[in-house]
Amino acid sequence: MPLNDKTTIKNFINGEWMHDSMDGSLTNYDPATGQPYGNLPNATQDTIDLSVEVANNVFSDWKNTGVQERANHLWKIASLIEKYAHELAKAECIDNGKPLSLCERIDIPRAAANFKFFAQAIISFHEQAYQSGNTVFNYTANQPLGVVATISPWNLPLYLFTWKIAPALATGNTVVAKPSEITPMTAFLLSKIVKEAGLPDGVLNIVHGEGLLTGEALVNHPLVKAVSFTGSTRAGKRIAQVVAPQFKKFSLEMGGKNAMLIFEDVQIDKAVDLAVRAAFTNQGQICLCASRILVHEKIYESFKQAFVKKVQSLKVGDPFEAETHQGALVSAQHYEKILKAIQTAKDEKGVLLTGGEAIHPEGRCKKGWFVQPTVFEGLAMHSITNQEEIFGPVVTLQPFSDTEEAIQSANQSHYGLACTIMTNDISKAHFVAQSVEVGIVWVNTWLYRDLRTPFGGMKNSGVGREGGSDAFEFFTEKKNITIQY
Ligand code: NAD
């Protein structure tokens, strides 16, 4: 199956593409034009049963495949992602609405990097051993779990899809993976890559469909031993309700309402550059985007002016154009949600500093789902706008008078994913970093990721950590073995 044959998306089970007659059909849209351009299955229980059974049948063989051979398979997949990078980037851009330049720079290279990183990491992953007295020896085996389910969202489609699959396969599990039904295309293309790479049939199965139908059937299946989920807090809560009583392992990476704290000693132009990037990359549709920007009162006015000016210079439009900074929002539903959030901010008496409107670019994108990058000020920290995740190009600015107030405001949230701190005062940076209730802190940078570091949030943002050895811990069960000799 050549990579450019992508008319109808099909489930990938046991190395074959299939569409069960019982599966319904969903429509796939191009957000930049607002037009449908394909279909995908809405997989039902029978399809899920088949995919899990197939994965279960090949588990023993895959588990017993040598670690170097498993790593070689991951390397091969990575090199094919690189070979087809341009086609994948184009497909991601059409499916998601994000700028092609972003897909080429981040989404697709990072998908390849995920496979390379975990291929390399599994080779150097070591297990513990303890000599306990003269004649007693302990070692701890980290055994794969069996069939695991991975469920991912639409905002970084291939990037987050592969972030879960790679460590699951590296540790010897077999996988049934479900991408978002809103952005299924690159997951479908990955099935072709996996086939070309020669991964044994059934080791990775990719199913398509809605969360409540396909997703829930998958996480609920008795042979699924663990669920790795990234998505909304609402869906994460539902998944926890389904899988916790079955005592399955689960890892939940969920929503965020991240603060950026800008102290008075920073260089304003650098702070503005970082804040604009943190607020509006990927149309603000990254769980790590800063949506509450808090600025020390001494520099608030000058920061505000420079920030608004820079936001107004962002070009919103056709994601295929090289100079576009901000593409389309992912779906009609999400577009409506963002416009509603803007209206809520206005109703809450927020002061609109820039943006606030939908955009209808000339030409092929005139029916696409575009919204101006939008900035409000004057909203209390307890307002709906500052408390609920918007997940779009909408941010608020507010001043703070001292470090204590900055920390308090940052922590005034049900979410606890990430926080960015900008200061040149090293003591303050450490103090604030230790005080904010989040899983990820960046000081004077944003979105810098070393794949060895733990990734995840606290409070309503997550349960568990992904990345590096945390991912390997999640996808394995420890077994301690004590030997008297
Ligand atoms: P979503 O929760 O609607 O969907 C995510 C995935 O879960 C999809 O594949 C969906 O089909 C599936 N799903 C939904 N309900 C399910 C159920 N009951 N059982 C099984 N599967 C189900 O999220 P979304 O709208 O696709 O993504 C946006 C959200 O993801 C935002 O809240 C964002 O913050 C979050 N996110 C978090 C991270 C992180 O690392 N913390 C990263 C990216 C996105």
Side-chain angles (χ1 to χ4, degrees):
M1 223 169 171
L3 199 51
N4 60 6
D5 167 24
K6 54 187 185 201
T7 39
T8 304
I9 290 176
K10 291 191 173 132
N11 295 315
F12 180 65
I13 301 172
N14 206 19
E16 288 174 20
W17 291 274
M18 45 181 79
H19 193 142
D20 189 282
S21 56
M22 294 304 286
D23 290 344
S25 176
L26 300 170
T27 305
N28 197 17
Y29 288 87
D30 173 351
T33 62
Q35 300 305 306
Y37 81 104
N39 295 300
L40 63 145
N42 197 13
T44 52
Q45 188 72 50
D46 285 354
T47 298
I48 295 306
D49 289 349
L50 178 67
S51 62
V52 175
E53 278 156 26
V54 158
N56 194 49
N57 290 343
V58 298
F59 170 59
S60 173
D61 285 350
W62 181 245
K63 172 178 88 165
N64 293 323
T65 300
V67 74
Q68 182 65 59
E69 201 179 326
R70 292 205 300 264
N72 290 347
H73 279 293
L74 300 197
W75 275 109
K76 180 80 184 158
I77 295 170
S79 64
L80 289 175
I81 292 176
E82 285 172 344
K83 177 177 165 189
Y84 296 119
H86 182 63
E87 285 169 88
L88 288 164
K90 228 174 117 187
E92 199 75 290
C93 171
I94 294 170
D95 217 26
N96 177 281
K98 64 174 73 189
L100 178 63
S101 57
L102 194 67
C103 303
E104 284 177 331
R105 209 174 61 246
I106 296 184
D107 291 78
I108 307 308
R110 174 57 193 278
N114 287 339
F115 280 105
K116 284 188 196 168
F117 171 78
F118 285 109
Q120 203 166 18
I122 196 66
I123 297 294
S124 49
F125 185 53
H126 54 270
E127 292 168 326
Q128 298 148 290
Y130 304 94
Q131 181 80 45
S132 318
N134 278 346
T135 59
V136 180
F137 166 72
N138 287 274
Y139 71 95
T140 308
N142 290 74
Q143 300 187 317
L145 305 171
V147 182
V148 300
T150 68
I151 299 198
S152 46
W154 50 256
N155 65 322
L156 300 163
L158 192 64
Y159 170 150
L160 290 176
F161 193 60
T162 54
W163 173 238
K164 294 173 179 302
I165 291 170
L169 294 179
T171 41
N173 300 282
T174 53
V175 178
V176 180
K178 193 195 93 58
S180 169
E181 62 276 29
I182 299 169
T183 53
M185 186 54 82
T186 48
F188 171 62
L189 296 179
L190 184 73
S191 68
K192 300 183 180 202
I193 284 176
V194 162
K195 188 75 179 173
E196 187 176 337
L199 188 74
D201 292 346
V203 167
L204 171 63
N205 306 279
I206 299 173
V207 292
H208 297 273
E210 291 169 326
L212 278 175
L213 182 73
T214 312
E216 195 144 326
L218 177 58
V219 301
N220 205 16
H221 196 290
L223 286 175
V224 167
K225 302 289 189 234
V227 176
S228 175
F229 165 82
T230 299
S232 63
T233 301
R234 174 193 42 78
K237 189 173 176 182
R238 172 74 197 155
I239 289 171
Q241 283 165 346
V242 172
V243 304
Q246 301 179 44
F247 306 114
K248 294 177 180 180
K249 278 181 118 175
F250 59 89
S251 157
L252 307 174
E253 301 295 343
M254 304 184 288
K257 190 75 191 176
N258 309 307
M260 180 173 222
L261 308 179
I262 301 175
F263 288 89
E264 67 275 30
D265 61 284
V266 299
Q267 222 177 295
I268 291 192
D269 55 341
K270 279 195 178 161
V272 166
D273 283 352
L274 195 72
V276 169
R277 204 158 66 79
F280 297 110
T281 300
N282 208 38
Q283 299 74 245
Q285 302 169 144
I286 302 183
C287 56
L288 303 162
C289 277
S291 49
R292 298 179 294 148
I293 301 177
L294 293 101
V295 186
H296 193 279
E297 60 188 12
K298 275 195 192 148
I299 59 163
Y300 183 81
E301 283 304 323
S302 35
F303 174 88
K304 181 174 98 180
Q305 277 178 26
F307 181 74
V308 168
K309 193 166 166 216
K310 177 116 190 164
V311 173
Q312 285 167 341
S313 74
L314 296 177
K315 183 171 182 300
V316 183
D318 191 336
F320 274 122
E321 285 175 10
E323 60 278 14
T324 294
H325 296 108
Q326 204 182 279
L329 299 175
V330 75
S331 65
Q333 196 189 11
H334 195 55
Y335 167 81
E336 293 299 337
K337 184 190 154 198
I338 301 303
L339 292 176
K340 198 166 157 221
I342 291 171
Q343 188 54 49
T344 300
K346 289 177 180 166
D347 294 346
E348 290 186 303
K349 307 276 183 275
V351 178
L352 180 65
L353 297 175
T354 187
E357 303 288 338
I359 292 186
H360 305 285
E362 283 300 304
R364 75 172 198 109
C365 294
K366 64 176 181 293
K367 290 192 176 154
W369 303 312
F370 297 87
V371 172
Q372 291 175 327
T374 298
V375 185
F376 283 97
E377 70 171 352
L379 285 157
M381 200 43 76
H382 63 258
S383 62
I384 296 170
T385 307
N386 274 327
Q387 288 299 309
E388 288 190 1
E389 184 185 45
I390 296 174
F391 212 55
V394 182
V395 294
T396 63
L397 298 184
Q398 41 266 315
F400 64 83
S401 54
D402 57 29
T403 306
E404 208 46 52
E405 189 191 344
I407 295 168
Q408 249 182 35
S409 298
N411 288 342
Q412 196 180 338
S413 171
H414 295 300
Y415 293 105
L417 187 55
C419 179
T420 304
I421 301 163
M422 293 210 68
T423 180
N424 292 311
D425 179 337
I426 189 77
S427 305
K428 190 183 284 177
H430 279 295
F431 177 71
V432 177
Q434 298 276 349
S435 308
V436 286
E437 295 162 356
V438 295
I440 299 160
V441 177
W442 283 294
V443 178
N444 299 328
T445 183
W446 176 74
L447 207 64
Y448 189 101
R449 287 284 300 131
D450 178 328
L451 303 190
R452 292 170 298 181
T453 60
F455 180 93
M458 49 176 78
K459 302 199 232 173
N460 288 4
S461 289
V463 176
R465 294 291 181 272
E466 298 187 339
S469 55
D470 287 276
F472 287 161
E473 296 251 328
F474 175 73
F475 285 116
T476 56
E477 192 77 76
K478 280 186 193 298
K479 181 184 285 177
N480 194 69
I481 297 162
T482 307
I483 301 173
Q484 167 91 57
Y485 60 97

